[in-house]
Amino acid sequence: LQYFEPVAKKLYSMGIEMAGLDVIDNKIIEINVTSPCYFIKEINNTYNTHIEKTIGDYLLTPALLSL
């Protein structure tokens, strides 16, 4: 994972807080910033959760809806 930390920091500095990296042989072949939804499925399967509900609940909080 340390290979990808500089990429994550760069993306974050650009305002991209959520992205998917496609990796083959420790090389990034694609960065998904418009539709990184596949990793949501991986998180759900790994941690037995429904993270999309948490994200949706956050996005629909009164504070954010008032913006």
Side-chain angles (χ1 to χ4, degrees), residues 8-49:
K9 288 181 179 180
K10 179 63 177 176
L11 290 170
Y12 188 80
S13 76
M14 296 169 63
I16 300 170
E17 297 180 14
M18 185 169 29
L21 302 179
D22 293 347
V23 178
I24 297 176
D25 294 329
N26 286 327
K27 295 177 184 163
I28 298 171
I29 61 165
E30 183 176 8
I31 300 174
N32 300 302
V33 295
T34 58
S35 182
C37 62
Y38 184 75
F39 77 89
I40 289 175
K41 180 180 176 184
E42 291 181 12
I43 290 171
N44 286 344
N45 290 337
T46 301
Y47 297 103
N48 195 27
T49 188

